[in-house]
Amino acid sequence: MALELPPLPYDRTALAPHISERTLEFHHGKHHAAYVTNGNNLIKDTPLADKPIEEIILAAAGDASKAGIFNNAAQVWNHTFFWNCMRPGGGGTPSGEVARRIDQAFGSYDKFAEAFKQAAVTQFGSGWAWLVQDGGELKIVKTANADLPLAHGQKALLTVDVWEHAYYLDYQNRRPDFVQSFLDNLVNWDFVQQNLEKSA
Ligand code: FE
């Protein structure tokens, strides 16, 4: 099957106390897993069954008859990407090329962090906040539900999941506290750097 559930890139206890073992148990083990199962059921015995995930997403984007495929495949991609956006002992200011690009685009890390947090907090309902590269320029965008930069010709560099399932067990309704903790303690800037270097 084309859609897969990769193991978390760290132990389920590794992001505590910022994200608890219980949250990761549900978020990765139940939510992410369900998108994989549901997506695979929808593409089974269709021409998309063995295609790479990005192809599945782009083939279904904007096609109302394939909304279920888009939503599940995009959520599989988003979650796999999100896990890699974090690491134990991460967060804070980046260095090197990433720092230079962020300063260039936003003026300073603090201004970037403020704008990223604002996007995450103001996303109404379920969705994602992203740092993307769009035509060579770094931008902050937010997307609703399963939507993602790939469907808008943008390259994803960093994301935070702001669906309630991402933070409710640990932060209840305090989404701003979750996003602040993500920025201060979890961001894997090495992964952002790797994404920046990718050609596509
Ligand atoms: Fe999620």
Side-chain angles (χ1 to χ4, degrees):
M1 283 299 195
L3 303 178
E4 287 171 9
L5 181 68
L8 283 172
Y10 29 73
D11 191 86
R12 276 177 175 173
T13 61
L15 303 183
H18 315 295
I19 294 180
S20 66
E21 178 178 15
R22 189 155 167 79
T23 288
L24 287 178
E25 195 178 299
F26 276 89
H27 200 177
H28 176 261
K30 305 287 184 195
H31 292 279
H32 192 179
Y35 296 127
V36 173
T37 304
N38 295 339
N40 279 333
N41 285 337
L42 289 167
I43 59 174
K44 198 178 164 194
D45 302 326
T46 78
L48 294 176
D50 297 312
K51 295 282 194 270
I53 186 166
E54 287 84 1
E55 264 186 57
I56 297 170
I57 291 167
L58 289 172
D63 181 343
S65 72
K66 293 191 174 72
I69 294 176
F70 177 81
N71 286 335
N72 283 285
Q75 283 292 76
V76 173
W77 194 97
N78 291 343
H79 283 90
T80 300
F81 188 83
F82 175 53
W83 307 136
N84 284 293
C85 285
M86 300 184 286
R87 68 173 181 85
T93 54
S95 59
E97 176 71 2
V98 175
R100 196 183 66 74
R101 293 292 302 273
I102 282 181
D103 288 350
Q104 188 183 49
F106 305 102
S108 67
Y109 169 78
D110 287 346
K111 284 184 181 159
F112 154 78
E114 194 183 315
F116 186 85
K117 189 174 170 185
Q118 177 71 5
V121 168
T122 58
Q123 169 52 37
F124 187 77
S126 297
W128 302 79
W130 307 82
L131 174 65
V132 302
Q133 185 172 298
D134 186 358
E137 208 181 314
L138 295 203
K139 291 179 183 170
I140 290 165
V141 298
K142 50 188 176 179
T143 60
N145 300 316
D147 196 17
L148 74 178
L150 177 67
H152 302 278
Q154 299 164 331
K155 180 166 77 168
L157 302 176
L158 174 72
T159 196
V160 64
D161 186 343
V162 295
W163 285 57
E164 282 190 347
H165 68 221
Y167 59 87
Y168 214 85
L169 292 175
D170 299 326
Y171 298 85
Q172 293 75 50
N173 61 321
R174 291 175 285 114
R175 189 193 287 185
D177 292 354
F178 165 62
V179 177
Q180 191 64 54
S181 191
F182 171 84
L183 287 167
D184 291 345
N185 305 295
L186 297 172
V187 174
N188 182 351
W189 288 114
D190 292 340
F191 181 65
V192 177
Q193 173 69 38
Q194 287 167 30
N195 294 326
L196 208 49
E197 287 164 8
K198 279 184 199 157
S199 56

